[in-house]
Structure formats: C-alpha cells, structure tokens
Amino acid sequence: MCDLRRPAAGGMMDLAYVCEWEKWSKSTHCPSVPLACAWSCRNLIAFTMDLRSDDQDLTRMIHILDTEHPWDLHSISSEHREAITCLEWDQSGSRLLSADADGQIKCWSMADHLANSWESSVGSLVEGDPIVALSWLHNGVKLALHVEKSGASSFGEKFSRVKFSPSLTLFGGKPMEGWIAVTVSGLVTVSLLKPSGQVLTSTESLCRLRGRVALADIAFTGGGNIVVATADGSSASPVQFYKVCVSVVSEKCRIDTEILPSLFMRCTTDLNRKDKFPAITHLKFLARDMSEQVLLCASSQTSSIVECWSLRKEGLPVNNIFQQISPVVGDKQPTILKWRILSATNDLDRVSAVALPKLPISLTNTDLKVASDTQFYPGLGLALAFHDGSVHIVHRLSLQTMAVFYSSATPRPVDEPAIKRSRTAGPAVHFKAMQLSWTSLALVGIDNQGKLSVLRLSPSMGHPLEVGLALRHLLFLLEYCMVTGYDWWDILLHVQPSMVQSLVEKLHEEYTRQTAALQQVLSTRILAMKASLCKLSPCTVTRVCDYHTKLFLIAISSTLKSLLRPHFLNTPDKSPGDRLTEICAKITDVDIDKVMINLKTEEFVLDMNTLQALQQLLQWVGDFVLYLLASLPNQGSLLRPGHSFLRDGTSLGMLRELMVVIRIWGLLKPSCLPVYTATSDTQDSMSLLFRLLTKLWICCRDEGPASEPDEALVDECCLLPSQLLIPSLDWLPASDGLVSRLQPKQPLRLQFGRAPTLPGSAATLQLDGLARAPGQPKIDHLRRLHLGACPTEECKACTRCGCVTMLKSPNRTTAVKQWEQRWIKNCLCGGLWWRVPLSYP
C-alpha cells in the first residue's frame, strides 16, 4: 500500500493563474454536470459550462481558450439538448469531438483555420443513449521518448517511431479518420469519415448480455485493435474488458467484439474493506495506446482508494501426463492473459477528478523498482484531485506521491501532514475536471464554482530542483516538441530568465548534430522556439526581432525561388533556385551586373502583373538590406534589432541572392523595384547596397569565427544616411501574453472576457520600445501592406508572436496566393490564428 499523504521531498507544484467569470445580471455561468475538459497539443483548452438565464433555461456551452490569452474566451452554443459528457481533441489539435447524454456526437472544426471560429458539419447519433466514453480512432503514429537516451546526439535515438497499426486503413495504408464511443446501455458506435465527406456509422453491442455501463474508457493496441473497459458503477461487480475490431465491408462499417479477461478490485476481496468502497467512480487506461494498464478508483461518501492493474501474459502449468504425451518445448507452452495488481493506495479523501499524462515515455522495465528510480520525470506522474481541495501528483505505476498542491488561500507548510489539517466547514472548492498538458508540465482544473486554474508542475518532480537537472528535462521536452510539432507554451512556464541563454545555446548545439535533411525540416521550428525563449529574459529580448525576421526572410527566399522556371523542359538536376545559390556563392564580385551575366536570365521571366504584385515583399528586402548596412557602425550594441544578421553569413548570402533576383526583375518591370529616397538622382542605389552587402558577406561567409569588417566598409556604411533615407522597419509588436509576465509563487487573478492590465517584465519593457505607439498606422506583417491607423478590413493575429494579417486577400495573382497559402493554417512561427476586432491595439 502507498501512502499519498506524505509528499516526496522537493516535490513542487504552484498556481500560475486563475480565471473566473464576471457576474452578469441576465445570465449566469454555472458548472455543468458532468463537467468535461480537454487540452490539445496546440495548448488550446476546451471545457463545458452551462449558461443559465433568468427563466432557468440552460444553454449547453463549449468554451475554447488559448493558454497564453485565457481571458480571450471563445464560447460556442453547442446546441446539445442534454448535458455534454465528453470532449476529445484530435491528434492535430484542430478538431474537437463533443458528446452528450442524449447520444448525440458532434465534430467541430476550425472555420477559416481560426482558433476562435468553430463550426460543426458532421456528427452521429445513438438516440436516447447517453455517451460515457469517446475517442478518435488511432492514426498509427506513435513516437516514444527514451528517457535513458536523453543524452544521445541523434533525435532518432531519443525519439523513436513505434510500430503501431492504425485502427482502420484506406487503400494504400492511409489511416481512416473517425471516432468510437460507448453508450450507457452497452453499445459501441463507430463513425468513419470518408475522403468524400460522407460519414459511415455502425453500432454494435459489446456482448450478448447487455448491461448498464456507468463508466468506460477506450484504448488502442499496436495491432490495430481497440480495447474497451466498462464498469456498472458497483465495486462488487467485475470490470469488463472487450476487444473491438473495425472494418469496412461492401462500403459498410462492420464492428466485431470479443470478451477479454475481467477483474475485481482488490479492495472488494479484502474482508475488512468489502463494503467500505461501494462505488467505482473512476476508470481510466493509463494511456490511449496502453491497453495493458488501467487505473481504478473506488469511493464511499467520504473516502476513496486507487488501484493500478496490469494485464500480463502468464504460462499455464501442464500436467505431467500431458507432458509425457506431448512435451512442451520452448515458446510452445500455453499462456493465458491475467490482470495483476501493480499497486494500491491507503484510504484517501474522496477523489473528485483524475488526469493522466499524454507523454509517451518508453520504460525498458515496468518493474516498480525501476519506476521508483525514474519517478522524477514529469511524464510519469498522474494527477488526483480530492474533495478537500488538494491535488496530488502520484507516480503512474507505484502510486507514490511526488507533489501536493492545496487550493486553500490560507498558506500552510508544505511538509505538514495532510492528516493533521483541520477540515473547513461546508464543501471545499475542488476540481471537478482536470487535464494535464501534452508535456505534463502544466495542469488545468475546473472547480465546482466554475473557475479555471492552471498549475505549473516541476520538471524535477519528486527530487530537489537542481538547475542542471531542470535544464536537461526542459531541453529534452523542447526537442520533443520540435520533432512532433506540438506547441511548447507549457515548457516556457518553467524557464527562468537565467536559463534562457543556456537553453538557446544547447538547443542550437543539439540541432547542429542532426543530419542535413532533418536540419532543413526543423529549420523554421527551431527559430520560432528560440524567439519564444528569448522573450523571457531582458538580456536576450532583442533577439526576438532577429529570429522572426529570419523566419520571414527564409519564407520570402523560398517563395521567390519557387517562382523561377527552367527555360527548357528537359531540365538538369538542379532547379533555377539551386543554380542561383551556387553561382552567387561562387562569384564574389561586388558588381551586381557581373553576377547577373553568369545567370540564365530567361529563367527569371515572370508575368508583369505577378512582378507588380510582389513589389511590397521586394520593398521589404531592399529596406532591410539598407537598414542592416546603416546599422553596421553601431554593431557593438546588442540592444539594436538586426545585430545577429551582421555575423550571419547564411542570411547575408540569402539577401545577396534576392538582390540579384530583384535586379533582374527590375529590368523586366522597373515599377517592381524597391523605392529609395536618395539625395542624388544619378545614384544607383541597388548597385551601392549590393557592393556593401557583398563586402560584409565575405567577412563571415566561411565557417568559423567571422572576421571584422574593414574600416573602409564601416566608413562607407557611415555615409549611407547622407545618401539614402534609412527606413524605420515595422518589427513585430510586443506580445500581450502571460508567459513572460508570470512570476513564481505569484499567481495572476484574471477574468473571462476582460483583458487585464498585466505587470510588465524587464524583457517586455524593452520590446515595447520597438512596437508601434497607439494611434500610429498599423501594418499587415505578412503582406507588408499598411492598414492605416483604424483598419477597415477584418484581421487575424498569431496567438504566439502577435503577427497581424488580413483575413481576406486584396490580391488575386497566383504568386501572391502561393505566398498567402503558406500561412493559411499557421503563422510563420507556427502559432494559431485568432480573429481580432477591427479596433485591435
């Protein structure tokens, strides 16, 4: 038995922020019964809440928020007739399932790829039969984290693809999308989404003798099968398990079920506790893709007990008589599947909610001794919420306590035993629904008063918080998010300003150890990750502008090169863009016209309308080159945006290639050239800037430490402000999010629907100097179009970097559409889009 009342030394969990409802006169938000909550891999949180009007009518609401801006809540009137019982995000975090107590299931998807605009076009119905469990079908993608190999150099060793079959496949092995649900009457229903948009739905009984199903959960096996666990709510009844196989036969969905071994909870077989815990209140597989381990909780009115069980294959002893007739050799010994208890707790306060980790950590041995040795890792803990208001993080196998959080406002010593705490009069505020983030470093809970709380979970749970250990864990999880594409906001909650420099350097070091092909795939993601880290420290905050600018530069370069077409159909191996890169790297001449001579200019011919439509992007390239060269004399100032470009040979080479392309296109259509304000009408501004840019590029093009630019180059750059008007670049605005303003042990109290006045950190104060002042004209950061001081077009903003762009395109040329399609789903930093009002700040 494990005692949850004694938290392990060094366990740490603290409140980051609380969001509550404003008291309205005409309607009231009240917690739904039951209350459902779900946390996506993009760090969107969905939860249910009922809206009660004066005449006591209930509207079933689904609320969706981004964890960085929790006050900016998007509310959906779900049109569910009965209480919503389940919410479930898909693997991409872009679709949401909701199910109710009337058997209705709805699939919600983003409208126009906006995180605050949702629509439901498909669904299914098992009329009058409440849904008790719901899940998306498995897509066959499973990436395991190998904690013991966290120090390996290759990402392939740290994160390995696990052989896992999809629940159902289309022609060619492509996984088929859909969902599976279990009803209270013992039915299992499967809905398949065909590529044509049609929904195939089938319903089947789990077994011949149908009975009431009060609790159920769904898990998947590596062979493509589905396992369903059910309980009727009584601890005196067995917990039943079923294997479900889904197939498509003659354009119809077919469901086959098979009974698996069942179990009785250990507490019911103990004579002293036989009637102490009459009800099973929680039934959960430890993970969606871990059908061999299950967590059970039995409760009375005042207390609970938690048990962890594992399904194991055991050999059957063979009688000697049969041994003589047919000797058992090697692996031919008959086996049987049996449920064995791994661990159980002592008597606890009544459990109100359970949250399980989503991090797929691979353990080489599930033995409890090994589990105890690795219990500090965040993905190995699950959360239990109790009716006394406390939350315990316990090891998912041994059930030993790793950390405890008390929601009471009265400060109490962490090491005070819970058994000595005095009970408060009346029902305590406690979580009714909880979810762990995808890296298990944050926890969201909705309490019985409707308030939403986000808690930080220490990356060194259960062990003393050493900076070196915390850095290793955070780096490992950042790498995991880089490989999977998951949002890493919950990791940033634990990054202190003193850690930023080390994390950025180590992240870059690990990135450079990967293969060239993998580096190319992850090149933009690591830049976005570095930018978000640098926001957290005043020493690195100006690098944020540089990283975002580099993302923009890479996107422009790849888009413009993709417009180039070979002159002949029988093209060589290299594309025109590759040849451009090769020739510009080989020819170091400072004269732009001499570089042009070596190129096949016929490959650069484009339609005149296309060239004119690209003028704003070409103008930005020209302005940025001029800004960089003009800032060279001040290169010693780290606080000046653009500083890192002056030593970045790759970026300078990219700018040099674009200047050559722009020069060629200018011969075709002069009006597409960047416009400069020069003091002399006869000055060739493009040639001047290319000459200075080439000299600067030569200083740092080779690998190794860059050489200092000579004095003649610095002197020429000093003269630029007297020759050309230096533009003021529009940097991304300072983010108004929470993560850079959260302080340890100082939780923020927020209100839904009301933007707070947040305390500014040293980092954000420095960024504010680079942002636009109120009342100044606003800009479309992706199209580089000026929107005016009061935009009349609808816009969307990135939830992470604050980038703003118009919802509808003002241009219809193919090249501009190609540019805009790159950002239709996500911002260039990978963040989600959020529709903003016309009067956005």
Side-chain angles (χ1 to χ4, degrees):
M1 290 289 181
C2 302
D3 188 0
L4 266 67
R5 299 185 187 277
R6 291 198 302 256
M12 204 172 101
M13 180 165 44
D14 68 299
L15 184 64
Y17 62 78
V18 179
C19 240
E20 53 190 348
W21 296 97
E22 183 181 5
K23 297 296 183 183
W24 290 1
S25 56
K26 293 185 178 180
S27 56
T28 304
H29 289 90
C30 53
S32 56
V33 180
L35 198 153
C37 176
W39 193 323
S40 81
C41 63
R42 308 303 302 274
N43 281 318
L44 292 178
I45 295 174
F47 64 99
T48 59
M49 194 71 61
D50 293 338
L51 188 63
R52 188 187 302 275
S53 61
D54 281 346
D55 52 4
Q56 300 301 308
D57 288 339
L58 284 180
T59 304
R60 314 292 181 181
M61 305 294 293
I62 300 175
H63 303 288
I64 297 177
L65 59 86
D66 173 52
T67 50
E68 177 75 339
H69 308 85
W71 59 87
D72 199 359
L73 190 75
H74 178 66
S75 300
I76 306 170
S77 178
S78 68
E79 297 181 0
H80 280 289
R81 295 188 295 271
E82 298 294 334
I84 300 172
T85 56
C86 303
L87 290 177
E88 191 76 22
W89 289 101
D90 72 344
Q91 193 72 15
S92 67
S94 59
R95 289 182 299 179
L96 178 70
L97 288 176
S98 63
D100 65 16
D102 193 39
Q104 186 178 30
I105 301 173
K106 290 189 174 187
C107 177
W108 302 89
S109 57
M110 294 184 188
D112 299 322
H113 306 286
L114 297 172
N116 59 344
S117 181
W118 295 80
E119 58 186 5
S120 174
S121 55
V122 294
S124 61
L125 177 66
V126 186
E127 192 168 358
D129 206 349
I131 305 295
V132 294
L134 178 68
S135 175
W136 290 91
L137 295 180
H138 205 286
N139 60 4
V141 177
K142 182 179 179 182
L143 196 70
L145 283 79
H146 299 281
V147 180
E148 69 279 3
K149 296 181 180 179
S150 59
S153 58
S154 170
F155 286 169
E157 296 180 46
K158 300 178 184 180
F159 319 109
S160 65
R161 180 77 178 263
V162 179
K163 188 177 180 180
F164 209 93
S165 299
S167 303
L168 192 64
T169 56
L170 295 166
F171 178 77
K174 182 182 178 182
M176 194 167 190
E177 296 181 324
W179 58 82
I180 178 172
V182 180
T183 71
V184 75
S185 69
L187 294 177
V188 57
T189 177
V190 175
S191 296
L192 305 177
L193 300 176
K194 297 185 69 176
S196 61
Q198 183 184 359
V199 180
L200 295 179
T201 301
S202 178
T203 303
E204 186 64 58
S205 176
L206 282 170
C207 61
R208 292 181 179 179
L209 298 177
R210 286 170 58 186
R212 179 177 180 270
V213 175
L215 301 168
D217 200 19
I218 301 166
F220 303 90
T221 67
N225 295 320
I226 305 168
V227 177
V228 175
T230 65
D232 63 4
S234 170
S235 61
S237 302
V239 179
Q240 302 278 4
F241 295 86
Y242 305 91
K243 183 172 75 172
V244 178
C245 300
V246 182
S247 57
V248 175
V249 180
S250 302
E251 293 295 315
K252 293 184 179 180
C253 179
R254 175 179 171 179
I255 303 173
D256 296 303
T257 62
E258 178 185 334
I259 298 177
L260 295 177
S262 58
L263 66 88
F264 281 92
M265 288 192 67
R266 173 67 61 85
C267 63
T268 61
T269 60
D270 186 348
L271 295 178
N272 297 325
R273 298 184 175 189
K274 187 175 182 181
D275 300 320
K276 187 172 183 180
F277 303 102
I280 297 179
T281 54
H282 297 87
L283 165 62
K284 297 282 185 183
F285 286 107
L286 289 188
R288 283 281 189 225
D289 48 16
M290 194 181 294
S291 59
E292 303 85 14
Q293 293 172 346
V294 68
L295 187 82
L296 299 169
C297 176
S299 304
S300 64
Q301 291 293 328
T302 57
S303 59
S304 296
I305 189 169
V306 178
E307 298 177 358
C308 182
W309 289 75
S310 177
L311 184 64
R312 296 179 179 178
K313 187 179 289 187
E314 298 181 359
L316 280 176
V318 180
N319 192 283
N320 291 333
I321 297 176
F322 297 104
Q323 280 275 20
Q324 294 171 3
I325 298 173
S326 177
V328 176
V329 181
D331 298 333
K332 294 184 178 180
Q333 182 180 3
T335 58
I336 188 172
L337 292 174
K338 278 190 177 183
W339 285 99
R340 297 293 186 187
I341 190 166
L342 284 177
S343 55
T345 65
N346 292 324
D347 294 4
L348 310 170
D349 287 320
R350 184 176 169 84
V351 174
S352 60
V354 177
L356 296 167
K358 304 178 182 72
L359 205 60
I361 290 180
S362 173
L363 292 176
T364 55
N365 189 350
T366 55
D367 184 80
L368 289 183
K369 181 180 182 302
V370 176
S372 178
D373 292 340
T374 57
Q375 69 172 3
F376 59 86
Y377 206 78
L380 294 177
L382 59 90
L384 301 175
F386 296 92
H387 275 259
D388 65 356
S390 65
V391 178
H392 292 233
I393 303 296
V394 302
H395 194 279
R396 70 181 186 185
L397 297 180
S398 65
L399 298 182
Q400 292 179 351
T401 304
M402 298 152 70
V404 180
F405 170 78
Y406 297 99
S407 61
S408 172
T410 322
R412 296 168 172 174
V414 177
D415 56 352
E416 180 185 346
I419 199 167
K420 294 184 179 180
R421 298 181 187 275
S422 59
R423 302 246 177 202
T424 55
V429 176
H430 59 273
F431 290 153
K432 292 183 63 180
M434 289 192 307
Q435 282 282 312
L436 283 165
S437 69
W438 283 62
T439 62
S440 297
L441 291 182
L443 173 77
V444 65
I446 317 292
D447 64 30
N448 52 340
Q449 295 182 352
K451 290 186 293 187
L452 179 143
S453 303
V454 172
L455 281 65
R456 277 181 287 235
L457 309 185
S458 170
S460 302
M461 196 70 70
H463 282 242
L465 186 62
E466 300 174 358
V467 176
L469 182 63
L471 275 175
R472 287 201 302 272
H473 287 336
L474 295 177
L475 178 64
F476 188 54
L477 292 174
L478 283 171
E479 292 168 351
Y480 172 68
C481 290
M482 193 193 307
V483 171
T484 57
Y486 296 161
D487 187 72
W488 55 90
W489 176 88
D490 46 335
I491 303 176
L492 300 181
L493 285 175
H494 300 271
V495 178
Q496 301 300 319
S498 58
M499 298 180 180
V500 171
Q501 185 67 31
S502 296
L503 273 176
V504 171
E505 291 175 357
K506 289 181 182 295
L507 196 63
H508 182 75
E509 182 182 339
E510 294 295 327
Y511 169 77
T512 54
R513 291 180 180 177
Q514 310 311 311
T515 61
L518 185 57
Q519 285 188 36
Q520 185 175 2
V521 171
L522 304 178
S523 59
T524 55
R525 203 168 292 160
I526 191 175
L527 287 174
M529 199 168 277
K530 289 178 180 178
S532 60
L533 286 169
C534 288
K535 282 184 181 180
L536 307 178
S537 170
C539 301
T540 57
V541 66
T542 49
R543 293 193 211 168
V544 176
C545 298
D546 289 8
Y547 288 130
H548 282 299
T549 303
K550 191 168 184 179
L551 281 170
F552 194 66
L553 175 61
I554 292 172
I556 287 182
S557 176
S558 60
T559 300
L560 297 188
K561 287 181 181 179
S562 68
L563 297 176
L564 308 181
R565 294 290 183 267
H567 188 57
F568 300 103
L569 292 179
N570 53 343
T571 58
D573 294 337
K574 293 182 179 178
S575 67
D578 293 335
R579 283 199 298 274
L580 169 68
T581 302
E582 183 180 351
I583 291 172
C584 287
K586 186 184 301 182
I587 301 176
T588 59
D589 202 296
V590 297
D591 189 339
I592 190 171
D593 294 323
K594 290 183 179 179
V595 178
M596 284 171 48
I597 293 173
N598 294 275
L599 294 169
K600 298 178 180 179
T601 53
E602 60 270 14
E603 295 179 341
F604 293 78
V605 176
L606 292 180
D607 179 70
M608 297 298 149
N609 292 331
T610 299
L611 291 177
Q612 190 60 48
L614 295 172
Q615 201 278 332
Q616 295 296 335
L617 297 180
L618 306 184
Q619 181 71 48
W620 179 87
V621 174
D623 287 347
F624 186 62
V625 170
L626 176 55
Y627 170 85
L628 281 183
L629 294 172
S631 64
L632 181 61
N634 298 323
Q635 58 181 314
S637 173
L638 291 172
L639 297 179
R640 190 177 179 88
H643 175 271
S644 64
F645 281 89
L646 302 177
R647 294 289 182 272
D648 186 353
T650 304
S651 297
L652 293 177
M654 204 177 296
L655 287 168
R656 191 167 172 266
E657 296 167 16
L658 293 178
M659 293 289 280
V660 173
V661 174
I662 293 171
R663 180 74 162 192
I664 297 174
W665 285 346
L667 298 177
L668 300 173
K669 189 172 184 62
S671 61
C672 77
L673 286 170
V675 178
Y676 297 104
T677 305
T679 55
S680 173
D681 295 336
T682 59
Q683 179 174 273
D684 187 349
S685 301
M686 287 283 291
S687 296
L688 172 65
L689 294 178
F690 184 84
R691 178 167 57 83
L692 298 178
L693 179 63
T694 301
K695 290 182 178 180
L696 180 60
W697 168 69
I698 291 174
C699 295
C700 53
R701 64 173 179 152
D702 298 324
E703 293 184 4
S707 59
E708 290 294 325
D710 55 27
E711 293 185 7
L713 175 59
V714 176
D715 291 342
E716 285 190 85
C717 290
C718 285
L719 295 176
L720 275 178
S722 62
Q723 297 171 309
L724 297 169
L725 179 64
I726 309 301
S728 57
L729 294 184
D730 293 282
W731 307 102
L732 284 180
S735 174
D736 62 345
L738 284 177
V739 73
S740 60
R741 293 170 166 88
L742 289 172
Q743 300 296 326
K745 306 297 183 183
Q746 297 179 16
L748 295 175
R749 303 197 72 84
L750 308 169
Q751 196 171 79
F752 290 123
R754 179 178 297 179
T757 304
L758 297 172
S761 65
T764 53
L765 288 176
Q766 292 192 42
L767 266 180
D768 288 341
L770 305 173
R772 287 177 173 271
Q776 281 191 317
K778 299 176 177 64
I779 190 170
D780 185 319
H781 293 106
L782 294 183
R783 298 183 180 91
R784 310 311 300 180
L785 295 174
H786 291 274
L787 303 176
C790 300
T792 57
E793 294 290 331
E794 279 193 309
C795 295
K796 58 185 180 182
C798 174
T799 56
R800 293 295 172 261
C801 68
C803 173
V804 175
T805 187
M806 287 184 288
L807 268 176
K808 297 180 180 178
S809 173
N811 201 307
R812 296 186 178 181
T813 60
T814 305
V816 174
K817 284 184 178 179
Q818 181 181 340
W819 169 256
E820 292 170 348
Q821 282 297 316
R822 298 174 68 99
W823 324 117
I824 191 71
K825 291 184 179 180
N826 303 99
C827 174
L828 51 86
C829 74
L832 291 172
W833 293 116
W834 197 272
R835 188 195 300 266
V836 294
L838 293 177
S839 58
Y840 71 92

